[in-house]
């Protein structure tokens, strides 16, 4: 029926466009409302018709009411997001969230923003909009949108690692009379929460129920997301062949969807299962497949699993050089994964602290209000009593103000812990990733060049082994302090690993970055180590690239800078190398000369 109505509307629109060639054709208010509603219904199933509807509404944009314009802007943001322009979509949804007169539209804009922030791992921002939606949930009269709000809470909290909260909202939605796609999603969210809470029984009816509902509604992605948790349970219980059989049974189907998050999980779990059954070649094959398709996913658990399997396979094959390479990659992936878990936890704790602070502020205001009311009642009492009361009032307000100040100071300390490396007092890896991505996006939008400097301290392990970790910490702090003093105000400087540092420089090409890196190198080499209690040389090897060589991708910039740094290490250490020189330094087999 919807398809038929959409076709009729398109025919009418075609006639309207023909009329518009000879006259200024205008839609009536009811026509605009109908077009907006129909565009909303078909936005994901029929994108071409959806775009045509928006084009027709755009010709009457000056005649839209405030609410109609908000609705149009909401759908326009969806169009931007569908095309991959999340920056533009986010800006529109944020404006609707702040200014729209429609509670329902504000709620839906918040849902879209929650999804964007979950995708980009901006957990604190996502929690802010989620809290706003949960507070306003009782104002939403449309059952379908209300259910979407509860479902978004369950999904977001599962992604955030707050599984008890996710289970709470999933169970809340499960009690409602829902069917279709939503029934599949809520069952899957319950499975995911219980798996992480270690309360999921592999033979339970709820697993069978979840799978059946997803199959009935042809929700292949959600069906196979549930299968990943079943496979993980099989692996945990030592039933490796069952896990392998389950994944292989559904592998071709998920390949057709090309949904990378689940496909990468399938490959990594297959590699783990095959390694456990002794099928080394299959383990290696699926491990490499997982790594290959997981490269664009930040802090990926499948990458961590796959690198560990590939490392173990290389050890079994006695290829220790390859084993070392994979072990380093596994250690990096594992650290990124757990850093992301820590970032999620800190974001949730900050949100909880903010909520507590707001509650305290409300209580303080209530107490102050009561005290003021008491002062008015006592105004008619004797002068001496008034003086005593005012003294008491001043003391209480002072104590309350002190408590408020301390709460704000605590919040600042928590925020610093979430963003700064505790040893060197420069940005940590988690905050660096977020800040660097913002800078890259801004430079890409303005077509400005952005550069990346990545450097690693030479022979740092030897300093730790020979003089102790206290001496190593002294070196890290003084190198960080020295480089922090030299960097430009707008540069983003962070410690991203043990002795590894990275600088992202906006409005800076590779040539300029090479000069800046050389200044860093000289400054580090000039450091006097004697205050540490020992005398030893300090130096670092630097790799440089820019967006002209590596595009506007944080992953590509850091990876290529790392390759250039490896060239610096390979050619003698204590030097600066450009990524442009990497290829020329390789032999015919692609190995560094």
């Amino acid at each position: 029926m919807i398809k038929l109505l959409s076709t009729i509307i398109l025919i009418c629109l075609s006639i309207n466009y023909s009329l518009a060639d000879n006259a200024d054709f205008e839609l009536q208010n009811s026509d605009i409302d109908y077009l907006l509603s129909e565009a909303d219904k078909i936005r994901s199933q029929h994108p071409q018709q959806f775009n045509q509807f928006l084009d027709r509404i755009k010709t009457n944009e000056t005649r839209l009411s405030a609410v109609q314009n908000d609705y149009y802007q909401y759908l326009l943001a969806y169009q931007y997001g569908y095309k991959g322009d999340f920056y533009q979509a986010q800006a529109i949804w944020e404006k609707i969230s702040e200014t729209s007169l429609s509670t329902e539209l504000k709620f839906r804009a918040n849902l879209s923003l929650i999804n964007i922030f979950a995708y980009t791992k901006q957990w604190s921002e996502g929690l802010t909009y989620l809290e706003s939606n949960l507070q306003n949930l009782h104002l939403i009269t449309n059952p379908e949108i209300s259910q979407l709000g509860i479902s978004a809470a369950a999904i977001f909290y599962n992604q955030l690692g707050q599984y008890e909260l996710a289970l709470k909202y999933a169970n809340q939605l499960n009690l409602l009379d829902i069917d279709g796609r939503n029934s599949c999603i809520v069952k899957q969210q319950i499975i995911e929460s219980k798996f992480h809470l270690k309360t999921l029984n592999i033979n339970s009816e709820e697993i069978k129920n979840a799978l059946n509902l997803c199959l009935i509604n042809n929700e292949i992605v959600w069906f196979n997301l549930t299968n990943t948790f079943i496979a993980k349970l099989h692996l945990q219980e030592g039933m490796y062949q069952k896990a392998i059989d389950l994944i292989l049974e559904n592998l071709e189907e998920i390949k057709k969807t090309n949904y990378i998050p689940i496909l990468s999980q399938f490959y990594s779990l297959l590699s783990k299962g095959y390694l456990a059954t002794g099928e080394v070649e299959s383990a290696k094959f699926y491990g490499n497949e997982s790594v290959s398709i997981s490269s664009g996913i930040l802090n990926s658990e499948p990458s961590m699993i796959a690198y560990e399997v590939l490392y173990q396979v290389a050890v079994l094959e006695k290829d220790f050089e390859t084993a070392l390479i994979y072990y380093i990659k596994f250690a990096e992936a594992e650290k990124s994964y757990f850093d992301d878990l820590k970032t999620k936890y800190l974001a949730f704790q900050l949100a909880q602290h903010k909520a507590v602070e707001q509650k305290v502020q409300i209580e303080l205001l209530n107490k102050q209000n009561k005290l003021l009311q008491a002062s008015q009642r006592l105004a008619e009492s004797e002068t001496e009593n008034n003086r005593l009361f005012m003294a008491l009032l001043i003391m209480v307000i002072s104590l309350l103000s002190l408590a408020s100040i301390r709460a704000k100071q605590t919040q600042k300390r928590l925020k610093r812990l979430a963003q700064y490396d505790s040893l060197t007092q420069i940005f940590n890896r988690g905050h660096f990733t977020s800040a660097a991505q913002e800078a890259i996006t801004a430079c890409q939008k303005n077509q400005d060049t952005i550069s990346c400097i990545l450097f690693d301290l030479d022979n740092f392990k030897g300093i730790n082994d020979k003089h102790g970790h206290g001496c190593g910490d002294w070196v890290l702090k003084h190198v960080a302090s020295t480089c922090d003093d030299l960097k430009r105000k707008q540069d983003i400087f962070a410690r991203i690993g043990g002795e590894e540092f990275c600088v992202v420089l906006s409005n800076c090409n590779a040539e300029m970055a090479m000069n800046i890196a050389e200044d860093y190198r000289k400054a580090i080499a000039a450091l006097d180590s004697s205050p540490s209690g020992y005398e030893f040389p300090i130096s670092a090897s630097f790799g440089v690239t820019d967006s002209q060589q590596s595009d506007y991708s944080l992953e590509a910039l850091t990876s290529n800078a790392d390759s250039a740094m490896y060239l610096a290490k390979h050619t003698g250490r204590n030097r600066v190398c450009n990524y442009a020189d990497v290829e020329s330094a390789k032999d015919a087999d692609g190995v560094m000369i």
Side-chain angles (χ1 to χ4, degrees), residues 421-425 457 460 463-464 467-483 495 498-499 501 523-539:
D421 177 59
S422 58
L423 176 65
T424 60
Q425 298 304 307
L457 298 182
F460 183 74
I463 295 173
N464 267 340
H467 304 303
H469 289 281
C471 181
D473 288 348
W474 183 92
V475 172
L476 291 171
K477 286 191 285 188
H478 282 74
V479 166
S481 175
T482 299
C483 294
R495 179 188 177 196
E499 66 271 24
F501 299 82
I524 292 171
L527 283 172
D528 180 12
S529 63
S530 57
S532 70
Y534 304 95
E535 291 191 5
F536 51 86
I538 303 172
S539 67

Side-chain angles (χ1 to χ4, degrees), residues 57-72:
I57 296 168
K58 183 178 177 61
T59 63
N60 289 265
E61 189 173 1
T62 57
R63 302 180 61 249
L64 300 181
S65 67
V67 174
Q68 286 174 334
N69 186 61
D70 285 345
Y71 200 174
Y72 168 64

Side-chain angles (χ1 to χ4, degrees), residues 60 67 173 186 209 380 414 424 427 441 457 496 526 574:
N60 289 265
V67 174
L173 192 58
V186 68
N209 194 17
E380 299 175 358
L414 285 172
T424 60
F427 287 161
T441 301
L457 298 182
I496 60 172
N574 191 22

Side-chain angles (χ1 to χ4, degrees), residues 120-125 127 159-162 299 335-351 414 417-419 428-434:
T120 57
K121 300 185 182 295
Q122 294 174 270
W123 306 111
S124 295
E125 292 83 353
L127 281 168
Q159 291 175 314
L160 189 62
Q162 298 299 319
N299 312 319
K335 184 178 184 305
S336 296
Y337 178 72
F338 285 110
D339 281 348
D340 186 48
L341 291 181
K342 183 173 70 174
T343 301
K344 292 178 183 178
Y345 176 77
L346 287 173
F348 182 73
Q349 291 301 314
L350 282 170
L414 285 172
L417 282 173
Q419 295 181 346
N428 59 26
R429 189 187 189 101
H431 186 59
F432 166 78
T433 301
S434 176

